[in-house]
Amino acid sequence: MNVSESFTHRPVPAETSVCVMGLGYIGLPTASVLATKGFRVTGVDVRPEVVDTINRGEIHIEEPDLDILVRSAVNSGQLVAAESPQAADVFMICVPTPIRDDRTPDLTYIREACQAIQPNVVKGNLVILESTSPPRTTEEIVAATAFSPEFEIGKDVFVAHCPERVLPGRILLEVVQNDRVVGGMTPECAQRAKQFYESYVSGEVFATSALVAEVTKLAENSYRDVNIAFANELSMLAEDLNIDPWDVIELANRHPRVQILSPGPGVGGHCISVDPWFLVHAQPERTQLIRTAREVNLYKPQFVVRHVMELAKQFETPKLGCLGLAYKADVDDIRESPALDIVRGLVREGVGDVMVCDPYVRPEQFDELPLSSLTDVLEACPLILLLTDHRQFRDIPRRVLQEKVVVDTRGLYR
Ligand code: SAJ
């Protein structure tokens, strides 16, 4: 059965099969939500260990409640993981879109996913790109390679971009509740994709073109990056003036039309620190603000390193405890984490003995230094550097911190 029939005649999702390409932070939650809503889902990942883990009803990533949902989806038989795609009504591409060292987009995973599904895509299928992508990727890669060139788009097959928008830590809620932007290669494609999302999303679904959807997603993350860069610039300026940047921001935000985000050690994660480069790469002449914001946020870790080195001078043999490696609170993700840059910078500068604690990070993720317990770090180090606002660090008794020199990059202990 193809998707057009399923929506025209049989709106029951159980009749619709979905093949989700990529079982990472977006694909796995999406696949398990769809499965528990009644779709028949094949989740595909090229890593055999990931496929085995999921088929045992277990998970390989940290996300609240995902373990329960995956277990239930697998046990019900609605979600099956596999190493290669199968025939389905809907194909969803949820693979990473990293940048290379020279900050150009690396679209290899999208290309490979399209090539993998190509033999399975038949007339009537809907192919959706969820991965955040540079302008025109849907047209130039997905529409060009994911199915037989004989198929007419908007008539034989339907192609759309519906960029994911979920916030790590809240993925299972947001994958259902967020409004979605669905960009079709043709208006018919957009309508097919809109119908599909409306069958499991409670937020509003807006249909537009694929290019508008691509740029909208990149605008969202660039907007946040620019706002955080503004906060980080203020924090460095406040440091020079010897005032508290959070005081300034809190008071400025009492203005009815001002909403400044929080400064931090820099901007990390796989999205906000990456996606703005897609716009810069696409239109270098038109993206001065976006590029500068990226540069401000990239500079912030160096600023923190210099600040800590100054403070360390007051100790004969500085013992420095770094709290946090993950890019943000209560997640295990260290991709592009500014905390990593800072820890590496401090070790490189030979600032003294460096200890690191992150309750979410496993030794196989970070093997450059031993990971210590919070108790050991607090016992051993008179100089503390708070890098990630994990809940465990929030709960450190203030009297313990009062005895130490604390650099609080997140404003957690104000
Ligand atoms: N950060 C600050 N100050 C703030 C907010 C964040 O320094 O006030 C830092 C965080 O500590 C972190 C980085 O920014 O290092 C990014 O964290 P985040 O929570 O802002 O965003 P992500 O990367 O986890 O998720 C973003 C979200 N996009 C927006 O909020 C516009 C999410 O909705 C997207 O789905 C996701 O990117 C994505 O996958 O693109």
Side-chain angles (χ1 to χ4, degrees):
M1 182 193 62
N2 67 36
V3 73
S4 59
E5 284 165 359
S6 77
F7 285 115
T8 316
H9 309 297
R10 283 186 261 178
V12 185
E15 300 297 318
T16 303
S17 56
V18 184
C19 180
V20 178
M21 300 297 291
L23 294 174
Y25 284 91
I26 304 304
L28 184 56
T30 304
S32 48
V33 163
L34 286 169
T36 49
K37 297 262 177 193
F39 292 89
R40 281 184 293 116
V41 183
T42 306
V44 177
D45 203 286
V46 290
R47 297 164 294 179
E49 68 282 7
V50 169
V51 170
D52 290 345
T53 304
I54 291 161
N55 282 334
R56 285 197 305 272
E58 294 165 15
I59 57 173
H60 60 293
I61 49 178
E62 185 82 25
E63 179 62 29
D65 299 330
L66 184 62
D67 51 346
I68 303 167
L69 198 72
V70 169
R71 198 179 321 126
S72 126
V74 171
N75 286 345
S76 69
Q78 294 294 113
L79 171 63
V80 176
E83 281 177 56
S84 47
Q86 299 182 0
D89 301 311
V90 182
F91 290 85
M92 290 175 100
I93 299 172
C94 304
V95 295
T97 43
I99 44 167
R100 300 192 187 87
D101 289 344
D102 65 359
R103 295 186 181 137
T104 57
D106 178 359
L107 304 178
T108 314
Y109 297 115
I110 296 186
R111 263 197 201 92
E112 286 173 358
C114 289
Q115 282 157 5
I117 64 172
Q118 202 258 6
N120 300 285
V121 175
V122 296
K123 279 194 183 181
N125 282 173
L126 171 62
V127 180
I128 298 166
L129 176 67
E130 278 228 359
S131 313
T132 304
S133 302
R136 298 205 170 82
T137 305
T138 314
E139 179 185 351
E140 289 171 3
I141 300 186
V142 182
T145 58
F147 43 83
S148 159
E150 291 147 28
F151 292 165
E152 191 180 327
I153 297 171
K155 192 159 161 272
D156 300 326
V157 287
F158 304 90
V159 183
H161 178 50
C162 181
E164 58 85 9
R165 279 178 149 176
V166 289
L167 193 73
R170 289 176 47 83
I171 293 181
L172 293 184
L173 287 177
E174 294 202 358
V175 83
V176 175
Q177 291 175 356
N178 286 359
D179 290 349
R180 301 297 297 256
V181 177
V182 171
M185 281 299 300
T186 66
E188 181 63 7
C189 295
Q191 281 316 313
R192 294 296 168 116
K194 185 173 186 299
Q195 280 178 318
F196 171 66
Y197 282 96
E198 282 174 343
S199 71
Y200 77 96
V201 163
S202 62
E204 218 172 317
V205 183
F206 297 90
T208 181
S209 70
L211 183 58
V212 168
E214 286 160 348
V215 176
T216 301
K217 165 69 196 213
L218 299 175
E220 291 163 10
N221 279 0
S222 301
Y223 164 78
R224 197 157 166 87
D225 199 40
V226 169
N227 195 331
I228 299 168
F230 184 72
N232 277 332
E233 188 159 285
L234 278 181
S235 75
M236 293 188 275
L237 169 164
E239 186 86 45
D240 294 347
L241 295 173
N242 210 13
I243 54 174
D244 183 336
W246 286 278
D247 280 349
V248 173
I249 291 170
E250 215 169 83
L251 292 168
N253 283 350
R254 302 302 296 208
H255 185 289
R257 285 173 294 283
V258 174
Q259 195 53 56
I260 307 168
L261 290 171
S262 299
V267 169
H270 191 51
C271 311
I272 297 200
S273 65
V274 171
D275 302 344
W277 291 119
F278 293 172
L279 281 179
V280 173
H281 178 70
Q283 289 205 272
E285 317 281 286
R286 296 275 179 235
T287 45
Q288 287 169 43
L289 176 65
I290 296 170
R291 180 205 300 265
T292 305
R294 260 310 49 241
E295 281 161 3
V296 169
N297 287 331
L298 278 170
Y299 172 70
K300 189 69 196 286
Q302 284 180 51
F303 180 87
V304 174
V305 170
R306 280 189 204 167
H307 181 54
V308 173
M309 282 169 63
E310 274 306 308
L311 287 174
K313 284 183 185 156
Q314 61 188 284
F315 299 95
E316 226 168 88
T317 44
K319 263 187 169 285
L320 169 66
C322 298
L323 303 186
L325 280 176
Y327 84 98
K328 68 176 189 177
D330 306 330
V331 301
D332 67 343
D333 196 342
I334 58 171
R335 289 177 298 177
E336 321 293 333
S337 176
L340 276 184
D341 290 341
I342 292 168
V343 169
R344 284 177 183 145
L346 290 165
V347 170
R348 203 169 40 241
E349 297 290 343
V351 79
D353 286 348
V354 177
M355 289 177 79
V356 180
C357 166
D358 192 309
Y360 294 89
V361 174
R362 299 173 298 282
E364 60 269 26
Q365 287 175 270
F366 179 77
D367 59 6
E368 295 163 41
L369 287 175
L371 290 168
S372 307
S373 71
L374 181 56
T375 316
D376 287 352
V377 168
L378 291 176
E379 236 170 62
C381 302
L383 179 54
I384 295 290
L385 172 59
L386 185 278
L387 291 170
T388 312
D389 41 350
H390 289 319
R391 122 181 91 73
Q392 293 84 343
F393 302 151
R394 201 178 292 260
D395 297 339
I396 299 172
R398 295 301 182 269
R399 67 181 156 68
V400 174
L401 294 174
Q402 269 156 18
E403 295 157 8
K404 302 184 183 293
V405 175
V406 179
V407 179
D408 176 3
T409 65
R410 299 275 183 177
L412 191 66
Y413 302 127
R414 294 177 65 233

